[in-house]
Amino acid sequence: MTNHAIEATQAGDQDQTVGAIVMAFGSDPVARWAFPRPQQFLASFPAFVRAFGGAAFEHGTAHHVEGFSGAALWLPPGAQPDEQALVSLVEGSVDPERVPRFFALLEQMDHFHPTEPHWYLPLIGVDPAEQGRGHGSALLSHALQRVDQDHQPAYLESTNPANIPLYERHGFELTGTIEVAGVPPMFPMIRPAR
């Protein structure tokens, strides 16, 4: 039987949680467009995870599957990615010819982002060796219980079209497509308050 025990990430477990997400994004279309070379990805993506979703550690809203085969970083209403760290990371680690498109991508993401209070899921992922065993669904279900207790909407951007059906099964709806020339598309999705 597959173990779906979901645990809150403690301070000493942050590196393992980040590692699970890094593994999950190793073949992600958008992540690998931004960091196409293996060493570049491995050197830069952990810092991206912390800048983009690391506020979840501070708010106690980072969770992982027992054994760190998957993880999710949720930002509660009012919490934001670390914009200054993101800008520094992009300027220092993304290939210079891709930087303007990366910033255009972030601008479009901002355009689709809800303005009302909501829970935001910047990053969720399962180690490829453990995919297809229900870990992603377990991570989503666990956090959405809290979201529903708060009667808040939830929002995410899917960077991989293959994941859209999973999110739809959990009540998320497509709201459009984020498109920048030469960059794989992203798919903003909202789950109305319940």
Side-chain angles (χ1 to χ4, degrees):
M1 183 175 160
T2 302
N3 185 355
H4 294 300
I6 306 300
E7 301 175 350
T9 298
Q10 304 302 314
D13 297 330
Q14 289 183 15
D15 287 346
Q16 291 186 80
T17 298
V18 169
I21 292 173
V22 171
M23 289 293 291
F25 277 78
S27 62
D28 178 80
V30 177
R32 294 315 301 273
W33 171 84
F35 306 106
R37 295 180 306 282
Q39 186 55 39
Q40 178 191 30
F41 174 79
L42 292 172
S44 302
F45 200 71
F48 176 84
V49 170
R50 289 183 182 278
F52 196 49
F57 296 126
E58 301 159 25
H59 290 278
T61 52
H63 299 93
H64 61 270
V65 177
E66 185 177 17
F68 300 94
S69 56
L73 303 180
W74 283 88
L75 301 185
Q80 301 286 330
D82 184 338
E83 191 173 313
Q84 186 175 354
L86 275 173
V87 168
S88 295
L89 178 71
V90 169
E91 291 176 343
S93 62
V94 172
D95 293 341
E97 71 276 1
R98 293 183 182 209
V99 169
R101 285 180 286 163
F102 196 105
F103 286 135
L105 187 69
L106 292 176
E107 282 182 33
Q108 279 207 31
M109 289 169 65
D110 193 47
H111 170 75
F112 280 95
H113 210 96
T115 55
E116 72 272 11
H118 64 282
W119 283 81
Y120 177 43
L121 177 60
L123 293 159
I124 184 172
V126 174
D127 182 335
E130 296 289 326
Q131 288 177 2
R133 298 181 185 183
H135 296 315
S137 280
L139 284 162
L140 284 167
S141 294
H142 177 82
L144 289 172
Q145 289 176 6
R146 167 76 186 274
V147 172
D148 290 346
Q149 286 173 357
D150 290 350
H151 304 290
Q152 297 280 341
Y155 177 76
L156 61 82
E157 298 105 355
S158 179
T159 55
N160 189 335
N163 295 332
I164 292 172
L166 168 66
Y167 301 132
E168 288 176 333
R169 285 194 302 273
H170 287 272
F172 286 88
E173 304 164 2
L174 278 169
T175 61
T177 304
I178 297 169
E179 295 181 281
V180 173
V183 183
M186 293 174 62
F187 306 93
M189 303 185 77
I190 190 89
R191 183 179 184 268
R194 296 184 178 188

